[in-house]
Amino acid sequence: MEQQPMHCTRVTLVLLERLTPKTAAILGYEMNAFTRPEAIYDRARSATTRIFDLVDAEPLRNRHRRLTVAEYRDELKWREDNADIIEKRRRRREILQNSILEATYKMLPVKYRPKKISLAIDATRLKTHARGIGKERLAALPDNARVSSEPDAGFYLRTKKGTLPKQGEQVRIIEYAQEAEFAVTGSNGGKVTAGDVPNLVVGFTMHIPSAEPAANARRLVDNLWERGHTIEHLATDRAYMPAGDAELLQIPLRRAGVKLLMDYPKDELGIQGYKHGAILIEGTWYDPHTPEDAIHATKYYREGIENLDKLPLTKDERKQRERDLESLWRARLATRSTYRFREKGAMKPNGNIPFKCGAAGPNPLLKCTLKPDVVDTRKDGRALLQLAPDPKHMPAVCQNLHSTTFNVADSGRHGQHYEYQSDEWANHYHHLRNNVESVNGFVKNASGYSLAEPARFRMRGATAKSILVVIAVAAANLTKIRQFLEHKAEQALEGQDEVTVIDERSRRQRKTPARTRLTHRQTRRRNSGDRDAPPKSKTQLRI
């Protein structure tokens, strides 16, 4: 039935031939081929309506026609007067949708479900099968004019840079849509161990475009906590962190032990805060004596790359300049890393963490005249950078001999676990962000689950669409799990039958899936007459 229009006759075939008697009884009809299609439709529609009535947080009195402006205004007034009912329905919908996804996650064998999960959260637009009306135009319409058939959707606006347009800025993308918010799993070891777990959607919510990113991300995290999950890493784009409300998202997550990963816009690079005399540079606490060029290393690098556009350079000359700028940038980051503050102990329940400066032992990174008794226990023999602070102007962090206590709230909305642009940061951040973008493309692809095709989701209402979307995403999860297990089964045969399994992804498109290759191998072994005997020729299987 995939990629075929869901006409009444096709729906009848699904209900009569593809459902079990138990499922049919839930929908309220018997498995009887003589039942009229109209009766089957009515019962299925009635069962669907009963479910939607419990979870519809954007109810309308009539979805069979477009409401007038006056009628829609009355609907909004009813929602406002019955906010407690609306919130209960929203909560039920959240539980229903994420319980469906949790059920698919539990289909993954236990050995592939880590005790802690690493996540990336991102939103993707889903165009509606309706034409929208802007706020200004809607406000100017008379009471008897008609609103959109999907009045609870909104306009998705982006510039050519992919950012929200500011006043007077040209809009490149404009679509009347909803946004689906996905929480997608990744490996706790980052890109290095990317094949350990499949990238599955374990959290979902839907809303109008660009509506409260931090609040929506927090709801997804809270729901995952309620389901018993512990989060190891969380990566988002700039709309969530650092732009979001720190009191709502960053600080509670850091207090819960979540390792945050984020990127920064150009105007938020360099120094982001101060505490006890230490300086917060791009999410990490550093010594107040950190050199100026190390503090602004990333800012200088990005400005240098931008300035290359103004120079008359050949392609090869530009590449060489870029390599030179990157080498200088990396050297400055390495210098800055020696000035960082390191955790000396575990976080307390109140969010306090003891830190030691780079000159504190053991294994010091700096040599400071204020700590002459520190013994260098390193074995590599490298010389330490020398610090000589002015005794008359010593910040608090220099007056403490052993450690300084910081609270997770001190780093506000910018603090993150790994040093920005370090190898560890890149390993985890890019892996998780690539995962969520990959899932977005997978579920929206027109040849698969077609979430980007509005004609596939014609039931009216945000609740109807969100339920249909989460069912499609659940099916995508099951496909991902099947492909992952087939991949693991193929890897398990490495070394057998003189077959070499290559894990590296090739730029060349794969011609056959793992299931087909496994079937071919089993066929070759049966035809050989001896299942334990290897084939005569060696074969390379590319994953």
Coordinates of all heavy atoms in Angstrom, one line a residue, residues 309-350:
D309 N 37.7 36.4 1.1 CA 36.8 36.7 0.0 C 37.1 38.0 -0.7 O 36.7 38.3 -1.8 CB 35.3 36.7 0.5 CG 34.9 35.3 1.0 OD1 35.5 34.3 0.5 OD2 34.0 35.2 1.9
K310 N 37.8 38.9 0.1 CA 38.1 40.2 -0.5 C 39.4 40.3 -1.2 O 39.8 41.3 -1.8 CB 38.2 41.2 0.7 CG 36.9 41.2 1.6 CD 37.1 42.1 2.8 CE 35.9 42.1 3.7 NZ 36.1 43.0 4.9
L311 N 40.2 39.2 -1.2 CA 41.5 39.1 -1.9 C 41.4 38.4 -3.2 O 40.7 37.4 -3.4 CB 42.5 38.4 -1.0 CG 42.7 39.0 0.4 CD1 43.7 38.1 1.2 CD2 43.2 40.4 0.3
P312 N 42.2 38.9 -4.2 CA 42.2 38.3 -5.6 C 43.1 37.0 -5.6 O 44.2 37.1 -6.1 CB 42.7 39.4 -6.5 CG 43.6 40.2 -5.6 CD 43.0 40.1 -4.2
L313 N 42.6 35.9 -5.0 CA 43.4 34.7 -4.9 C 43.0 33.7 -5.9 O 41.8 33.6 -6.2 CB 43.3 34.2 -3.5 CG 43.7 35.1 -2.3 CD1 43.4 34.4 -1.0 CD2 45.2 35.4 -2.4
T314 N 43.9 32.9 -6.3 CA 43.5 31.7 -7.1 C 43.0 30.6 -6.2 O 43.1 30.7 -5.0 CB 44.8 31.2 -7.9 OG1 45.7 30.7 -6.9 CG2 45.4 32.2 -8.8
K315 N 42.5 29.6 -6.8 CA 41.9 28.5 -6.0 C 43.0 27.8 -5.1 O 42.7 27.6 -3.9 CB 41.3 27.4 -6.9 CG 40.5 26.4 -6.1 CD 39.8 25.4 -7.1 CE 39.0 24.3 -6.4 NZ 38.4 23.4 -7.3
D316 N 44.1 27.6 -5.6 CA 45.2 27.0 -4.9 C 45.7 27.9 -3.8 O 46.1 27.5 -2.7 CB 46.4 26.5 -5.8 CG 46.0 25.4 -6.7 OD1 45.0 24.7 -6.4 OD2 46.6 25.2 -7.8
E317 N 45.9 29.2 -4.1 CA 46.3 30.2 -3.1 C 45.4 30.3 -2.0 O 45.8 30.4 -0.8 CB 46.5 31.5 -3.8 CG 47.7 31.6 -4.7 CD 47.7 32.9 -5.5 OE1 46.7 33.6 -5.6 OE2 48.8 33.3 -6.0
R318 N 44.1 30.2 -2.3 CA 43.1 30.3 -1.2 C 43.2 29.1 -0.3 O 43.1 29.2 0.9 CB 41.7 30.4 -1.8 CG 40.6 30.6 -0.7 CD 39.2 30.6 -1.3 NE 38.2 30.7 -0.2 CZ 37.7 31.8 0.4 NH1 38.2 32.9 0.0 NH2 36.9 31.7 1.3
K319 N 43.3 27.9 -0.9 CA 43.4 26.7 -0.1 C 44.6 26.8 0.9 O 44.5 26.3 2.0 CB 43.5 25.5 -1.0 CG 42.2 25.1 -1.6 CD 42.3 23.8 -2.4 CE 41.0 23.4 -3.0 NZ 41.1 22.1 -3.8
Q320 N 45.7 27.3 0.3 CA 46.9 27.4 1.2 C 46.7 28.4 2.3 O 47.1 28.1 3.4 CB 48.1 27.8 0.3 CG 49.4 27.9 1.0 CD 49.8 26.5 1.6 OE1 49.7 25.5 1.0 NE2 50.2 26.5 2.9
R321 N 46.1 29.5 2.0 CA 45.8 30.5 3.1 C 44.9 29.9 4.1 O 45.1 30.1 5.3 CB 45.1 31.7 2.4 CG 46.0 32.5 1.5 CD 47.0 33.4 2.3 NE 47.7 34.3 1.4 CZ 47.4 35.6 1.2 NH1 46.3 36.1 1.8 NH2 48.1 36.3 0.4
E322 N 43.9 29.1 3.7 CA 43.0 28.5 4.6 C 43.7 27.5 5.5 O 43.5 27.4 6.8 CB 41.9 27.8 3.9 CG 40.9 28.8 3.2 CD 39.8 28.0 2.4 OE1 40.0 26.8 2.2 OE2 38.8 28.7 2.0
R323 N 44.6 26.7 4.9 CA 45.4 25.8 5.7 C 46.3 26.5 6.7 O 46.5 26.1 7.9 CB 46.3 24.9 4.8 CG 45.5 23.8 4.1 CD 46.4 22.8 3.5 NE 47.2 23.4 2.4 CZ 46.8 23.3 1.1 NH1 45.7 22.7 0.8 NH2 47.6 23.8 0.2
D324 N 46.9 27.6 6.3 CA 47.8 28.4 7.2 C 46.9 29.0 8.4 O 47.4 29.0 9.5 CB 48.4 29.5 6.5 CG 49.5 29.0 5.4 OD1 49.9 27.8 5.6 OD2 49.8 29.8 4.5
L325 N 45.8 29.5 8.1 CA 44.9 30.1 9.1 C 44.5 29.0 10.1 O 44.4 29.2 11.3 CB 43.7 30.8 8.5 CG 43.9 32.1 7.8 CD1 42.7 32.5 7.0 CD2 44.3 33.2 8.8
E326 N 44.1 27.8 9.6 CA 43.7 26.7 10.5 C 44.8 26.3 11.4 O 44.6 26.0 12.5 CB 43.1 25.6 9.6 CG 42.6 24.5 10.5 CD 41.9 23.4 9.7 OE1 41.8 23.5 8.5 OE2 41.4 22.4 10.4
S327 N 46.0 26.2 10.8 CA 47.2 25.8 11.6 C 47.4 26.7 12.8 O 47.7 26.3 13.9 CB 48.4 25.7 10.8 OG 48.3 24.7 9.8
L328 N 47.4 28.1 12.5 CA 47.5 29.1 13.5 C 46.4 29.0 14.5 O 46.7 29.1 15.7 CB 47.6 30.5 12.9 CG 47.7 31.7 13.8 CD1 49.0 31.6 14.6 CD2 47.6 33.0 13.0
W329 N 45.2 28.8 14.1 CA 44.1 28.7 15.0 C 44.2 27.5 15.9 O 44.0 27.6 17.1 CB 42.8 28.5 14.1 CG 41.5 28.2 14.9 CD1 41.1 28.9 16.0 CD2 40.6 27.2 14.6 NE1 39.9 28.3 16.4 CE2 39.5 27.3 15.6 CE3 40.4 26.3 13.6 CZ2 38.4 26.5 15.5 CZ3 39.3 25.5 13.6 CH2 38.3 25.6 14.5
R330 N 44.6 26.3 15.4 CA 44.8 25.1 16.2 C 45.9 25.3 17.2 O 45.8 24.9 18.4 CB 45.1 23.9 15.3 CG 43.9 23.5 14.4 CD 42.8 23.0 15.3 NE 41.6 22.6 14.5 CZ 40.4 22.2 15.0 NH1 40.3 22.2 16.3 NH2 39.4 21.9 14.2
A331 N 47.0 26.0 16.8 CA 48.1 26.3 17.7 C 47.6 27.1 18.9 O 48.0 26.9 20.1 CB 49.2 26.9 17.0
R332 N 46.8 28.2 18.6 CA 46.3 29.0 19.6 C 45.4 28.3 20.6 O 45.4 28.5 21.8 CB 45.6 30.2 19.0 CG 46.6 31.2 18.4 CD 45.9 32.3 17.6 NE 46.8 33.4 17.2 CZ 46.4 34.4 16.3 NH1 45.2 34.4 15.8 NH2 47.3 35.3 16.0
L333 N 44.5 27.4 20.0 CA 43.6 26.6 20.9 C 44.4 25.7 21.8 O 44.1 25.5 22.9 CB 42.7 25.8 20.0 CG 41.6 26.5 19.2 CD1 40.8 25.5 18.4 CD2 40.7 27.3 20.1
A334 N 45.5 25.1 21.3 CA 46.4 24.3 22.1 C 47.0 25.0 23.2 O 47.1 24.6 24.4 CB 47.4 23.6 21.2
T335 N 47.4 26.3 22.9 CA 48.0 27.1 24.0 C 46.9 27.5 25.0 O 47.1 27.4 26.3 CB 48.5 28.4 23.4 OG1 49.6 28.1 22.5 CG2 49.1 29.3 24.5
R336 N 45.7 27.8 24.6 CA 44.6 28.2 25.5 C 44.3 27.0 26.4 O 43.9 27.2 27.6 CB 43.4 28.6 24.7 CG 42.3 29.1 25.5 CD 41.2 29.7 24.6 NE 40.3 28.7 24.0 CZ 39.4 29.0 23.1 NH1 39.2 30.3 22.7 NH2 38.7 28.1 22.6
S337 N 44.4 25.8 25.9 CA 44.0 24.6 26.6 C 44.8 24.4 27.9 O 44.4 23.9 28.9 CB 44.1 23.3 25.8 OG 43.6 22.2 26.5
T338 N 46.1 24.9 27.8 CA 46.9 24.8 29.0 C 46.5 25.7 30.2 O 46.9 25.5 31.3 CB 48.4 25.1 28.7 OG1 48.5 26.4 28.2 CG2 48.9 24.1 27.6
Y339 N 45.7 26.7 29.9 CA 45.2 27.6 30.9 C 43.8 27.2 31.5 O 43.3 28.0 32.3 CB 45.1 29.0 30.3 CG 46.5 29.6 30.0 CD1 47.1 29.4 28.8 CD2 47.1 30.5 30.9 CE1 48.4 30.0 28.6 CE2 48.3 31.0 30.7 CZ 49.0 30.8 29.5 OH 50.2 31.3 29.2
R340 N 43.3 26.1 31.0 CA 41.9 25.8 31.4 C 41.9 25.3 32.9 O 42.9 24.8 33.4 CB 41.4 24.7 30.5 CG 41.9 23.3 30.8 CD 41.3 22.3 29.8 NE 41.7 20.9 30.1 CZ 42.9 20.4 29.8 NH1 43.8 21.0 29.1 NH2 43.1 19.1 30.1
F341 N 40.7 25.5 33.5 CA 40.5 24.9 34.8 C 40.0 23.5 34.7 O 39.1 23.2 33.8 CB 39.5 25.8 35.6 CG 40.1 27.0 36.2 CD1 40.5 28.1 35.5 CD2 40.3 27.1 37.6 CE1 41.1 29.2 36.0 CE2 40.9 28.2 38.2 CZ 41.2 29.3 37.4
R342 N 40.5 22.6 35.6 CA 40.1 21.2 35.5 C 39.3 20.8 36.7 O 39.5 21.3 37.8 CB 41.3 20.3 35.4 CG 42.1 20.6 34.1 CD 43.5 19.9 34.2 NE 44.3 20.6 35.2 CZ 45.5 20.1 35.6 NH1 45.9 19.0 35.2 NH2 46.2 20.8 36.5
E343 N 38.3 19.9 36.5 CA 37.5 19.5 37.7 C 38.3 18.7 38.6 O 39.1 17.8 38.2 CB 36.3 18.6 37.2 CG 35.3 19.4 36.4 CD 34.0 18.5 36.0 OE1 33.9 17.4 36.6 OE2 33.2 19.0 35.2
K344 N 38.2 19.0 39.9 CA 39.0 18.3 41.0 C 38.1 17.3 41.7 O 38.7 16.3 42.3 CB 39.5 19.3 42.0 CG 40.5 18.8 43.0 CD 41.0 19.8 43.9 CE 42.0 19.2 44.9 NZ 42.5 20.2 45.9
G345 N 36.8 17.4 41.6 CA 36.0 16.4 42.3 C 34.6 16.3 41.6 O 34.3 17.1 40.6
A346 N 33.8 15.5 42.1 CA 32.4 15.3 41.6 C 31.5 16.4 41.9 O 31.7 17.1 42.9 CB 31.9 14.0 42.0
M347 N 30.5 16.6 41.2 CA 29.5 17.6 41.4 C 28.7 17.3 42.7 O 28.2 16.2 42.8 CB 28.6 17.8 40.2 CG 27.5 18.9 40.4 SD 26.5 19.1 38.9 CE 25.8 17.5 38.7
K348 N 28.4 18.3 43.5 CA 27.6 18.1 44.7 C 26.1 18.2 44.3 O 25.8 18.7 43.2 CB 27.9 19.2 45.7 CG 29.4 19.3 46.1 CD 29.8 18.0 46.9 CE 31.1 18.2 47.6 NZ 32.2 18.6 46.6
P349 N 25.2 17.8 45.2 CA 23.8 17.9 44.8 C 23.3 19.3 44.5 O 22.3 19.5 43.8 CB 23.1 17.3 46.1 CG 24.1 16.4 46.7 CD 25.4 17.0 46.4
N350 N 23.9 20.3 45.1 CA 23.5 21.7 44.9 C 24.1 22.3 43.6 O 23.9 23.4 43.3 CB 23.9 22.5 46.1 CG 25.4 22.6 46.3 OD1 26.2 21.9 45.6 ND2 25.8 23.4 47.3

